[in-house]
Amino acid sequence: MGCDGGTIPKRDELVRKKKKPEEKDKHAEAMAKWRYCALCCQLLRMPIVACPLGRLYNKEAIIKYLLDKEVTNEVVEHIRGLRDVKELNLTVKPGFEEKPIEGGVAPDTYDSPYICPVTTLEMNGKYKFCFIWSCGCVLSERALKEVKSETCHKCGKSFSEDDVLIINGSDEEVEQQRKRMEDKRLLEKNGKKSKKRKNGEETAVESTSTTNTTNGTSSSSNTKNVTKIAKTSDQSCSKTKLSVNCLIPEKASTSYSIAKDENTSEIYKSLFTSHESAKKRVTGPWITLNPQYN
């Protein structure tokens, strides 16, 4: 029955309270982000790459994921190729030794194999770390803020503020970096489209210029051909005239006279009225006596 024998119930026993949400173990969460690959959940091994959202991966795992097109994963759905990840230039902690897991107890989560080359802070999740997209060097946020410079503190290459990305940032920082990534991709896409349009316009202008030049050359060549044809026709006509003149015999010319021809006989000459014997001969109608009409 309860409440017998002088027992006094507590408020917790009579009133049901809302259950508190389960809190994540900060040490385990930090170790999962900073010591393990976000894709294959294995220990991070060199070479290590990072995406524009600031997550860490084994390069081998990313390559396997990209080669196997049938596999889909929400964690890496924004990665389209190796150009979307950057290989990190990490500074190894001197004297670091990897401790194996014994008896189900994980090693010290804050003992990191990598440090900042400027401040020597360990890259274990306690402090914010950033990487520069242009060169891949990893530095702590404190080093970038305290020692302000336009060149990398490790390799000396120049960079801008847009190249600095936070590693394993908060949810708000991840969303900001995602938005930055999408804006950058949109700009690249528009730039490619504008380049294609420019290239298309240039090719069109070149084609029109070539067609104009070809038209000009063709017209000039046509005129040259016409003049050549005219010249050849004139020459051919002159040649034909010469050939015709050559074919016409001397007897058909106007200056020729049978009476003066030495090769013809007197009998043949007497047939014509121009001969002396024609005057003595009795003449009939001129049409019948003229040999040109017989």
Side-chain angles (χ1 to χ4, degrees), residues 194-209:
S194 61
K195 283 182 180 179
K196 286 183 180 179
R197 289 176 182 174
K198 288 181 181 179
N199 292 331
E201 290 175 358
E202 289 176 357
T203 52
V205 171
E206 289 177 358
S207 62
T208 52
S209 62

Side-chain angles (χ1 to χ4, degrees), residues 76-128:
V76 290
E77 62 181 0
H78 61 285
I79 298 175
R80 304 166 298 179
L82 288 177
R83 66 181 181 279
D84 293 332
V85 294
K86 187 69 178 179
E87 187 172 344
L88 300 180
N89 184 12
L90 295 162
T91 304
V92 181
K93 179 181 177 180
F96 174 79
E97 293 182 0
E98 188 72 37
K99 296 178 181 179
I101 298 174
E102 295 179 356
V105 180
D108 187 7
T109 55
Y110 296 115
D111 188 15
S112 174
Y114 309 109
I115 60 173
C116 173
V118 180
T119 59
T120 66
L121 295 174
E122 293 190 8
M123 184 176 159
N124 52 18
K126 277 187 175 182
Y127 311 99
K128 279 189 178 182

